Amino acid sequence: MDGSRPVEAIATARRIVVKLGSSSLTRSDGGLDLNRLDRVAALVASRCNRGGQVVIVSSGAVAAGMTPLRYARRPRDLAAVQACAAMGQGLLVARWSAAFQAPHKLVAQILLTGDDVMRRSHYKNAKASFEKLLSLGVVPIVNENDAVATGEIRFGDNDRLAALVAQLVDADLLVLATDVDGLYDKPPSLEGAKRIKTVRSASDVAGVRASGAGKEIGTGGMVTKLHAATMATSSGIDTLLLAADDLSQGLAGADVGTWFKGCGKRRPSRADWIADAARVAGSVKIDEGAALAVGKKHSSLLAAGVVGVEGTFPAGSVVEMRYQDSVLGRGVAGFSSVEIEQIKGLTSEKIAQIGEVARPVVHRDDMSVRATDVEAAGF
């Protein structure tokens, strides 16, 4: 693997999303690490004063609410977690606001739920809100709204939320600051583990043994960070995974952490929404010919290549396009599930004969296909 670090790409990144996990923002006793917040605020303000724009995705609301509610450890039941989040959200943003007072920067809290990004209208409104705040020189402090989010529509961890926000604001760089100093070829606790300095394609991490959740106070792990990096790089967004202690060095271009090179082309906002944010209503099974056309040629999916449908959904829903056991991508269905069952395998001429308008099942302008997924499917 190439160990070089594109220092210029980091130095010239104008819009950056920095994610800080709970384990990086809390002390050993579970309270917020105010010194850490002060250091991050000074670093971010310095970057902004040089013309940059920074969004902070900050965990810590649940942790901040645990002490005043007398929880010795993170609760497991949803109602208790929501109570801690409700108590802690105000405390967390107040601490961030205080940290940014010294460098004279304003902050604004944005709380998101999965529903806010799954619905296209909400997604566009959130994007407009971010753009206005950043244009005014404000540092948005983002967190999942755990106080009202349900299990069915939660992001699950702030790594995925950070990747979605990076797509939402069209970031140049996503920084995942955590309690480990990068991605290793096996769990770093094992003898002989080596830090992977640069990841340029999926093959670079094919044999990596990633771990699950880390410290008790957090919810993520290396698996979620790898997924977030894949989401971001597929959208052409460079990603840096490093220890929170190395944040200043990393943003200066030092050889710390793991650099994930953005491998995909910058996609329109709608394509990012289809790929990672929209709620999937079902799936359309396709044959090998259609898989080649969609995956390699980026052609529209025609009814002739459809062999089956899973789920019940109306036209206009986002669906997965599946070849055998692989997901090639997502797209907006031009027909309902019932209609697709009626026209599957038919040519345009035969579709017209049964009285339907001969149009694609998924138009190429309404789909998002990742090169990594196509490669994994064997094409």
Side-chain angles (χ1 to χ4, degrees), residues 213-236:
K215 294 184 178 180
E216 183 177 301
I217 200 71
T219 58
M222 192 53 66
V223 171
T224 68
K225 289 165 182 58
L226 273 174
H227 179 60
T230 299
M231 288 172 56
T233 55
S234 295
S235 299

Side-chain angles (χ1 to χ4, degrees), residues 13-14 16 40-54 100-106 134 136-139:
R14 179 172 178 268
I16 303 172
V40 172
L43 181 62
V44 168
S46 176
R47 188 83 182 202
C48 292
N49 291 337
R50 299 196 305 271
Q53 297 177 332
V54 181
F100 275 96
Q101 281 184 355
H104 306 291
K105 296 294 294 183
L106 295 174
L134 291 170
L136 293 172
V138 176
V139 177

Side-chain angles (χ1 to χ4, degrees), residues 78-79 81-82 85 89 112-116 143-156:
L78 179 59
V81 170
Q82 289 176 324
Q89 281 165 355
L112 296 173
T113 66
D115 208 40
D116 292 324
N143 197 1
E144 179 167 9
N145 194 354
D146 287 308
V148 298
T150 63
E152 292 78 12
I153 60 171
R154 293 193 72 243
F155 295 106

